[in-house]
Amino acid sequence: MTDWTAGYMADIDYTYGYYAELNPQRIKLAFLSAGLQPPDVQTACELGFGQGVSINLNAAASNVQWYGTDFNPSQALFAQELADASGAQAHLFDQSFEQFCRRDDLPPFDFIALHGIWSWINDENRQIIVEFIERQLKVGGVLYISYNTQPGWASMVPMRELLAEHTRVLGAPGHAIGGRIDDALEFATRLLDTDPLFAKANPLVKQKVEQLKKKNRNYVAHEYFNHDWAPMSFTQMADWLAPAKLNFACSANYLDHIDIVNLSPEQQALLDSLPEGNYRQMVRDFIINQPFRKDYWVKGGRKLTSLQQTQQLRQQAVLLISSPEYMDLKLSGMLGQADLNKDVYEPFIELMGDFKPRTLAEIETSLPQLSFSQIQQAVMVLITKNDLMAVADNTGDAGPPCRALNQHIANLSHSMSEFEFNASPVVGGGFALSRFEQLFIQARQQGHKTPAEWANAVWPLLEAQNQRLLNEGKTLENAQENISMLTRHAEILSRKWPLLKTLELVD
Ligand SMILES: C[S@@+](CC[C@H](N)C(=O)[O-])C[C@H]1O[C@@H](n2cnc3c(N)ncnc32)[C@H](O)[C@@H]1O
């Protein structure tokens, strides 16, 4: 391990995910639902941006000026190449938190974001970050922070220590981290197979270890095998952030805003009997056995009157992103799966099924049979289910940087399959598109007209790399079978064209 890592797992690169919570656009509906004034985000900062997927898509798709750092130089380089490709306002560094947070050339920020960082760094770095937030976050500014939470991790804390210790004590020196992780998981399975009393007292641990074995090794390495790893309770987090004058605003996970699918009436009544504040959050975490929180904190938040709240909500536009025929009317919460009210959701989906953005006020006018609170709840539910997205209002002239970045991503996708997002100026951030979808769109831009032509244009790329498609788990060996399967994927994409046009992902 090299010495710039401060104990961080840097031997294996991080994944290429896009996390919607890092998009400042997402704050608006969460804050409005909680009755808080959302900030107008012009400047933003991400600490520990990983491969830089989120920060680059968000920078390309809006007029927000982004700053960020990640001390892993190969990841920072990848991220800087994305920024160069888009030409967007993203100032990306390969400095440690300590170096970056000491810079005196950074602007004050409306939004500071850390995803997947806080639980995996030491107290010294936590202190540096809190002091940075205290200095650099504007009054009214928002912090987004995610972290492993107690009590959800209670039974896995000793198991994770056992796994990490195995790689340290028994891991073969010189053996790559992926192999050492496999060995540790294998050993944990052997231990659990002996029916130790620990497994009897913590019956879910065995299942969790089995799930871990199936996960992407890069993710597992970063989640479990760091030197530092500390889940903490909500109250401990509040204590850490108090010196930066931050108060809890609301959850960034929209599902948390829908109590009816998460809390029984008794649990809700118990929470309602408590004063508003941090203790209530802690009790809620016990009720749902919370393992991971994704929260917004605010420096001096302002409560809205209910009139101001509804006025601002009415102005928000949303866009359906799933085809109505593939949508189910179910929502999974902590209490299990709930059926959505057909009288609300069917007309809502039918109206939005033309993939045109509409404000909540327009939806209200078109669906007079629904109350405004039903419309508002449907919006939160459908965003949670990934069927709907909020339309951004701070995108400026984000079309050209998005097009340039998406072209670069498609070029990367010639040979890599992990980068499965494009930048859309309409939603002000990332939109999920698989590798094949990106390649088909590129083929179409190059003049190939029909899905069959797109498939024929993409196949030589795969063939040259000895890559084959699968059908029901079986590898398709000959060219014709592969091209037919590609054509089927291309036809599915062609049906999404009206949506892709609205998102400005195609011409
Ligand atoms: C789990 S990853 C999360 C990446 C990104 N936020 C995301 O969610 O995709 C944590 C990242 O923090 C970076 N990191 C950890 N400690 C750091 C430090 N002291 N200074 C700068 N970056 C750090 C790592 O290199 C890694 O890319």
Side-chain angles (χ1 to χ4, degrees):
M1 190 176 279
T2 36
D3 59 1
W4 50 267
T5 63
Y8 191 81
M9 168 62 62
D11 305 7
I12 184 162
D13 273 352
Y14 193 62
T15 49
Y16 296 81
Y18 173 82
Y19 299 97
E21 296 79 10
L22 295 165
N23 184 347
Q25 179 60 35
R26 193 179 171 90
I27 303 171
K28 201 165 167 195
L29 270 175
F31 267 49
L32 290 178
S33 291
L36 293 166
Q37 174 64 46
D40 174 18
V41 178
Q42 308 283 336
T43 51
C45 174
E46 185 182 351
L47 297 174
F49 53 61
Q51 302 287 1
V53 173
S54 303
I55 195 168
N56 273 295
L57 295 178
N58 293 336
S62 70
N63 59 6
V64 175
Q65 273 216 39
W66 276 93
Y67 289 75
T69 195
D70 195 295
F71 69 1
N72 184 318
S74 56
Q75 294 176 186
L77 178 64
F78 182 82
Q80 284 169 354
E81 284 170 0
L82 296 177
D84 289 346
S86 74
Q89 303 196 70
H91 311 273
L92 308 181
F93 303 93
D94 71 334
Q95 293 178 307
S96 67
F97 297 143
E98 191 185 0
Q99 294 164 328
F100 178 82
C101 293
R102 267 206 317 256
R103 292 180 75 104
D104 58 9
D105 58 352
L106 301 173
F109 295 113
D110 301 298
F111 182 51
I112 296 179
L114 297 84
H115 183 66
I117 306 293
W118 186 259
S119 308
W120 299 269
I121 54 176
N122 58 26
D123 278 352
E124 204 183 319
N125 272 309
R126 289 192 189 106
Q127 192 60 42
I128 289 168
I129 289 173
V130 172
E131 285 168 13
F132 176 74
I133 296 167
E134 182 188 359
R135 233 180 11 258
Q136 293 293 139
L137 189 66
K138 287 189 202 167
V139 171
V142 170
L143 168 75
Y144 164 72
I145 191 160
S146 62
Y147 61 104
N148 279 348
T149 315
Q150 292 292 25
W153 277 94
S155 64
M156 272 304 271
V157 169
M159 177 48 76
R160 111 87 209 179
E161 194 183 348
L162 183 105
L163 291 169
E165 239 355 61
H166 187 280
T167 59
R168 201 179 65 79
V169 178
L170 295 179
H175 204 166
I177 182 67
R180 282 188 276 143
I181 290 174
D182 289 341
D183 293 347
L185 286 168
E186 208 39 61
F187 178 77
T189 308
R190 274 171 50 210
L191 167 67
L192 292 170
D193 284 347
T194 68
D195 273 334
L197 288 179
F198 174 75
K200 287 204 166 74
N202 301 279
L204 285 180
V205 165
K206 200 165 180 173
Q207 190 185 326
K208 286 187 177 162
V209 169
E210 284 310 310
Q211 285 165 357
L212 257 188
K213 285 176 163 171
K214 295 188 193 121
K215 293 217 160 110
N216 173 316
R217 283 290 170 273
N218 301 52
Y219 160 78
V220 173
H222 284 257
E223 171 67 75
Y224 287 84
F225 289 86
N226 255 326
H227 181 266
D228 296 294
W229 187 86
M232 62 176 69
S233 70
F234 178 84
T235 322
Q236 285 169 320
M237 184 57 143
D239 289 346
W240 267 102
L241 295 177
K245 300 202 275 188
L246 291 180
N247 288 319
F248 175 67
C250 58
S251 171
N253 179 359
Y254 285 14
L255 182 63
D256 288 338
H257 292 249
I258 310 161
D259 283 338
I260 190 138
V261 290
N262 293 314
L263 305 170
S264 70
E266 295 75 25
Q267 293 167 338
Q268 185 65 64
L270 180 76
L271 283 179
D272 288 345
S273 71
L274 297 171
E276 285 251 1
N278 294 348
Y279 190 65
R280 193 155 155 172
Q281 288 300 314
M282 190 182 188
V283 174
R284 193 178 191 281
D285 284 345
F286 269 78
I287 292 177
I288 63 173
N289 196 26
Q290 181 73 269
F292 189 63
R293 287 192 69 116
K294 302 195 263 188
D295 289 335
Y296 293 125
W297 297 74
V298 64
K299 191 174 194 167
R302 187 162 68 73
K303 279 249 171 220
L304 296 171
T305 64
S306 70
L307 179 67
Q308 291 168 328
Q309 181 189 27
T310 352
Q311 278 171 342
Q312 291 199 41
L313 276 167
R314 285 200 165 99
Q315 287 165 18
Q316 175 67 52
V318 292
L319 167 70
L320 197 73
I321 56 164
S322 295
S323 296
E325 69 263 34
Y326 297 122
M327 289 172 63
D328 62 19
L329 292 189
K330 298 193 183 306
L331 177 67
S332 294
M334 293 299 157
L335 295 176
Q337 203 173 61
D339 289 321
L340 300 174
N341 181 350
K342 281 189 178 157
D343 295 341
V344 174
Y345 286 84
E346 282 181 355
F348 188 106
I349 292 166
E350 196 188 336
L351 173 72
M352 300 299 291
D354 59 1
F355 303 113
K356 297 270 185 292
R358 282 183 186 79
T359 62
L360 270 64
E362 287 166 337
I363 298 174
E364 193 182 18
T365 308
S366 299
L367 302 175
Q369 71 274 36
L370 302 187
S371 68
F372 188 70
S373 72
Q374 284 175 318
I375 293 171
Q376 187 196 339
Q377 189 173 73
V379 163
M380 297 303 275
V381 166
L382 293 174
I383 292 179
T384 300
K385 283 167 59 59
N386 272 330
D387 290 328
L388 193 82
M389 281 177 103
V391 172
D393 50 14
N394 61 346
T395 58
D397 192 13
C402 285
R403 276 194 290 281
L405 180 57
N406 294 341
Q407 200 57 252
H408 179 73
I409 297 170
N411 289 339
L412 290 173
S413 290
H414 287 195
S415 54
M416 84 186 255
S417 57
E418 300 96 326
F419 202 136
E420 301 204 296
F421 294 90
N422 266 8
S424 160
V426 176
V427 294
F431 182 80
L433 272 189
S434 72
R435 177 192 186 198
F436 289 154
E437 289 175 329
Q438 294 168 32
L439 295 177
F440 294 145
I441 291 173
Q442 197 177 50
R444 163 75 204 242
Q445 285 161 350
Q446 289 164 352
H448 302 280
K449 292 202 170 53
T450 62
E453 286 176 27
W454 307 344
N456 275 293
V458 168
W459 169 241
L461 265 180
L462 307 182
E463 193 179 30
Q465 298 170 84
N466 214 8
Q467 294 170 346
R468 302 283 180 269
L469 278 86
L470 293 175
N471 187 17
E472 293 172 0
K474 266 186 53 197
T475 307
L476 301 177
E477 289 304 341
N478 74 52
Q480 206 38 56
E481 287 173 338
N482 278 278
I483 293 171
S484 316
M485 183 53 82
L486 279 172
T487 308
R488 270 163 63 184
H489 287 297
E491 278 161 356
I492 294 171
L493 180 74
S494 71
R495 293 200 283 276
K496 288 193 196 168
W497 221 253
L499 169 65
L500 300 178
K501 257 181 178 302
T502 303
L503 289 165
E504 296 182 27
L505 295 174
V506 298
D507 296 328

